[in-house]
Amino acid sequence: MEASKLTLLLGLLALLTFLASFSAAEVHFYEFIVEARPVMRLCRTLSTITVNGQFPGPTLEVRNGDSVAVKVTNRARYNITIHWHGLKQQNNPWADGPEYVTQCPIQPGATYTYRFTIKDQEGTLWWHAHSRWLRATVYGALIIYPRLGSPYPFPMPKREVPILLGEWFDRDPQDVMRLAAFTGGAPNVSDAYTINGQPGDLYRCSRQETIRIPVVSGESLLLRVINSALNQELFFTVANHQLTVVGADASYTRPFTTRVIMIGPGQTTDVLLTADQRPARYYMAARAYATAQNAPFDNTTTTAILEYKNAASSNQGLAPVFPTLPAYNDTATATAYTAQIKSPSQVRVPTQIDEYLFFTVGLGLYNCTVPNSPRCQGPNNTRFAASMNNVSFVLPRTNSLMQAAYYGVPGVFTTDFPPIPPVQFNYTGNVPRGLWSPRRGTKLYRLKYCANVQIVLQDTSIVTTEDHPMHLHGYHFYVIGSGFGNYNPSTDPARFNLIDPPQRNTIGTPPGGWVAIRFKADNPGVWLMHCHLDSHLFLGLAMAFLVENGIGPLQSVIPPPPDLPRC
Ligand code: C2O
């Protein structure tokens, strides 16, 4: 009698545990304290804005379907917001984060709790400050595992390691931005690149702290590579090891192997690595892929060490094996690599296009009338500018675009962002000087709910051609084509990949070329699209979409949370 009761009880318990493993998604609560902390890099201690005193900030680990609440308390002396880069935030722009776009900033002393649910997304994303240049040090990984019980579409790796590539300035990055905003000249470049916050062996005072990644012979590793650098596309490689790309921007990709990846700021790339080499120590390294002509860039190399645990102790004294990296201007390698990224199988790309948009992206110059002004330190007495379709984007100061749109506050923005360039010209040719100066404006482009949108992003040769990593908030999109020179609407569409294009949230324009993307505007709200180089964003290389509500609450922006900051 007792025994059978016990069996029943145990059986019940087993059943409950089994059911719990399939139970509703979890709710995660995180607390972010934003504050200045002393951080020592390159032989100097700098007061650095951090989250919870960590640099890089805490890694968020969640599952598809989970809900997240992050209470952000601002103890720094700057206004701040946090953006969950690549999260779709369906109907919920209030949690997206870009300052003055979807919210007013969290002022010093204030708090705001970001609440959102992960819906149909898996893979590697990240979070970062979206206020001035604070994301230089305020960033971290956001890892979305599949739902409990659902596997990866590739062999389960033995270990997983986030690899956050960053950029370190040997001074307050806010001062670098402020100085450039004052002088109109190019901002100073960084002093080091970093892997998980550390510059590595090739910089002064850094060797001790070089990141070491242990591995056992035969094991496979999943490296979740995130480019969180402020202003630089990067090449990344691991000495002697093949990398198998399996995901990008939290979408799975058709696996392919490569020696090197190119990754733009904002992008993530998941790669599998098998420890199939002689037990030893190997460098992983990253350095610039720099495409702007005659522009200074940080030409240093950051390293971490892949360390075989069973390496013979005699090996430990040897210098790690150093990889070869492409030259900083190796556009051929960058282009060939990017072209290999595809969806794993056939996908449903929008074909009945409602909005054919064509946006030029690039730099510009404002002429100065006062000669030798300290405020005109750009080339030949000018100030640098940047624009899309000749509009240099200006953030409002008294309200956020989303709050203004939701409450119908007039005078904050207009909805006349041009669908095509106001003047058509030979975008990548010798552009007449008269076309180099954009107009400032806070212009949005209105999209009907569920409109099918195609955007061709066309780089220009104004000042210089360049790879611009273009990021769209609130969406991911299919990258259906790209090429060099001017986009040709009568011949290029024939070469579009409408079968298995990759799904991304950030894609670079080839330098002096174009890239075409498609998405369905099924997420109402105000969504920023911008160059993810902060050195271009602050010059106005941005625009925003105002996506209308559909019918009923399920197709509409949810009401704002009560603690949404006011300006
Ligand atoms: Cu990763 Cu607008 O940002």
Side-chain angles (χ1 to χ4, degrees):
M1 188 65 183
E2 283 306 305
S4 68
K5 259 190 188 161
L6 192 69
T7 319
L8 193 71
L9 210 68
L10 283 175
L12 214 66
L13 212 69
L15 184 70
L16 281 175
T17 330
F18 175 76
L19 286 176
S21 72
F22 287 92
S23 75
E26 262 185 87
V27 180
H28 304 260
F29 184 81
Y30 295 94
E31 182 131 33
F32 276 20
I33 310 287
V34 179
E35 60 185 343
R37 285 289 186 89
V39 172
M40 159 108 172
R41 293 291 183 280
L42 309 178
C43 320
R44 228 153 66 89
T45 300
L46 281 181
S47 173
T48 302
I49 309 294
T50 64
V51 168
N52 301 348
Q54 291 168 247
F55 172 68
T59 298
L60 270 48
E61 290 177 90
V62 301
R63 286 184 187 280
N64 186 10
D66 286 358
S67 293
V68 182
V70 186
K71 182 182 178 197
V72 178
T73 303
N74 185 2
R75 293 211 189 117
R77 62 192 173 98
Y78 299 109
N79 283 346
I80 201 164
T81 64
I82 305 286
H83 168 52
W84 318 92
H85 179 113
L87 269 193
K88 200 170 169 193
Q89 306 288 16
Q90 183 67 45
N91 298 2
N92 185 18
W94 313 113
D96 191 41
E99 69 170 352
Y100 300 109
V101 177
T102 56
Q103 68 167 101
C104 297
I106 308 167
Q107 290 171 15
T111 68
Y112 175 50
T113 303
Y114 292 86
R115 293 175 193 279
F116 49 87
T117 298
I118 318 283
K119 216 179 137 249
D120 301 327
Q121 291 191 274
E122 288 178 22
T124 307
L125 293 175
W126 60 302
W127 56 266
H128 61 78
H130 211 301
S131 178
R132 307 172 63 98
W133 277 21
L134 285 165
R135 78 170 180 87
T137 58
V138 179
Y139 62 85
L142 167 53
I143 295 172
I144 310 169
Y145 299 109
R147 287 171 194 277
L148 263 183
S150 66
Y152 292 135
F154 46 81
M156 184 72 179
K158 193 75 187 172
R159 287 169 222 269
E160 305 192 0
V161 192
I163 301 283
L164 291 123
L165 307 175
E167 229 173 332
W168 179 260
F169 294 78
D170 198 10
R171 70 197 88 187
D172 185 338
Q174 307 323 301
D175 291 342
V176 177
M177 190 201 106
R178 261 197 295 255
L179 183 68
F182 178 80
T183 65
N188 284 313
V189 299
S190 58
D191 298 280
Y193 299 110
T194 54
I195 295 177
N196 294 349
Q198 291 296 341
D201 283 3
L202 307 183
Y203 298 88
R204 58 188 189 272
C205 308
S206 303
R207 190 173 273 266
Q208 284 295 316
E209 272 76 39
T210 298
I211 297 293
R212 290 178 164 74
I213 293 154
V215 69
V216 174
S217 279
E219 272 182 9
S220 69
L221 281 181
L222 176 63
L223 303 179
R224 298 175 177 274
V225 187
I226 300 164
N227 187 342
S228 25
L230 204 64
N231 294 324
Q232 192 61 62
E233 291 86 354
L234 296 165
F235 285 119
F236 171 85
T237 190
V238 183
N240 292 24
H241 290 75
Q242 293 271 7
L243 305 173
T244 303
V245 176
V246 294
D249 297 3
S251 288
Y252 295 116
T253 59
R254 178 175 321 146
F256 66 95
T257 60
T258 179
R259 285 274 167 199
V260 64
I261 68 169
M262 191 283 283
I263 183 165
Q267 296 183 320
T268 74
T269 309
D270 289 355
V271 299
L272 289 171
L273 174 155
T274 305
D276 55 5
Q277 295 299 302
R278 179 175 58 83
R281 299 192 301 150
Y282 300 88
Y283 277 123
M284 52 182 69
R287 80 150 177 230
Y289 167 49
T291 55
Q293 291 101 56
N294 308 315
F297 67 96
D298 177 349
N299 198 13
T300 62
T301 304
T302 179
T303 55
I305 301 171
L306 182 73
E307 211 162 44
Y308 280 62
K309 268 194 191 151
N310 43 349
S313 46
S314 60
N315 255 336
Q316 295 293 331
L318 298 176
V321 182
F322 201 84
T324 43
L325 276 155
Y328 74 88
N329 57 359
D330 191 347
T331 291
T333 294
T335 307
Y337 163 75
T338 305
Q340 292 185 77
I341 303 175
K342 301 223 161 84
S343 284
S345 54
Q346 187 160 354
V347 288
R348 291 181 59 181
V349 184
T351 49
Q352 304 298 322
I353 299 300
D354 304 297
E355 297 271 0
Y356 285 99
L357 304 177
F358 184 88
F359 296 169
T360 57
V361 301
L363 299 183
L365 295 175
Y366 293 123
N367 294 322
C368 288
T369 42
V370 193
N372 302 319
S373 158
R375 305 217 54 188
C376 298
Q377 305 288 302
N380 307 316
N381 203 42
T382 58
R383 291 177 61 80
F384 273 109
S387 66
M388 296 176 71
N389 275 357
N390 208 44
V391 183
S392 186
F393 190 72
V394 179
L395 288 170
R397 285 282 135 169
T398 54
N399 211 332
S400 76
L401 299 171
M402 188 62 229
Q403 280 156 295
Y406 190 85
Y407 294 109
V409 182
V412 179
F413 60 81
T414 55
T415 53
D416 55 347
F417 186 85
I420 56 168
V423 177
Q424 275 126 73
F425 57 96
N426 178 2
Y427 308 108
T428 53
N430 195 355
V431 182
R433 258 323 262 271
L435 296 172
W436 283 34
S437 302
R439 298 275 170 85
R440 292 184 184 85
T442 307
K443 296 179 187 295
L444 276 51
Y445 190 82
R446 194 184 272 279
L447 289 174
K448 288 248 175 300
Y449 180 78
C450 274
N452 286 329
V453 184
Q454 172 179 300
I455 312 174
V456 174
L457 296 158
Q458 172 73 58
D459 184 30
T460 74
S461 56
I462 296 173
V463 184
T464 173
T465 55
E466 192 165 356
D467 180 308
H468 296 281
M470 299 299 297
H471 172 50
L472 175 59
H473 285 235
Y475 289 91
H476 24 237
F477 46 74
Y478 291 112
V479 183
I480 56 168
S482 71
F484 288 94
N486 297 340
Y487 171 70
N488 184 334
S490 50
T491 54
D492 286 323
R495 296 187 295 118
F496 282 169
N497 176 5
L498 303 177
I499 310 290
D500 59 358
Q503 191 172 44
R504 308 211 62 159
N505 63 53
T506 307
I507 190 67
T509 61
W514 55 271
V515 62
I517 65 172
R518 283 187 185 178
F519 64 96
K520 182 183 269 302
D522 58 2
N523 192 10
V526 175
W527 304 106
L528 194 63
M529 180 174 212
H530 64 91
C531 178
H532 217 285
L533 308 179
D534 276 20
S535 56
H536 294 173
L537 176 56
F538 91 108
L539 293 174
L541 215 173
M543 58 80 64
F545 288 104
L546 171 58
V547 181
E548 294 174 353
N549 286 334
I551 300 158
L554 287 179
Q555 299 181 355
S556 300
V557 169
I558 60 171
D563 61 339
L564 186 72
R566 305 254 158 84
C567 286

